Amino acid sequence: MRTRSDKDSTTAAAFDLARGCVVVVAAALVAAAVFAPADLGARLMVMAGTAGVLARLLADWRACVAVTVFATLVFVGFMAHQYGELAGDPSPWSHTIAIGFAALIGRGQRWIHAVNAHEAGTPMAGPPCR
């Protein structure tokens, strides 16, 4: 049986996922408008930065993982290839490690902040890491 807090947690995670995906799409549109298709490295850095910032801000770790995967798929499908093609040239997949690494750094910063806030006895500004 689910408790009320479980339902609230699941609802918050769903909204975090939706907000994160909207931010990823917006970042991809900005990167596509600013950088030419040949500037794959710059587009990758925009997506990695977005994934890192979102990993720091999203409260639920499941939403963080899903948004990072979504950012990877958007990069490969729409920024490296065209028209959402994920199975074409495999070379962009090797670049996506930067997106995952940025998300790990962002999540690590969130964890360090939570540990420091707990040790200091001060309440965090947002909900604790899960």
Side-chain angles (χ1 to χ4, degrees), residues 53-127:
V53 169
L54 286 172
R56 171 66 175 94
L57 296 176
L58 295 176
D60 192 79
W61 68 270
R62 297 168 296 180
C64 172
V65 169
V67 167
T68 302
V69 169
F70 182 68
T72 301
L73 295 175
V74 167
F75 171 74
V76 171
F78 294 101
M79 301 186 88
H81 295 138
Q82 290 183 345
Y83 309 115
E85 181 182 346
L86 296 173
D89 178 29
S91 64
W93 285 103
S94 64
H95 301 308
T96 60
I97 221 125
I99 296 172
F101 186 68
L104 283 175
I105 289 174
R107 207 65 194 169
Q109 287 178 346
R110 183 174 179 81
W111 179 76
I112 289 171
H113 178 75
V115 168
N116 289 340
H118 179 70
E119 288 176 358
T122 58
M124 287 182 53

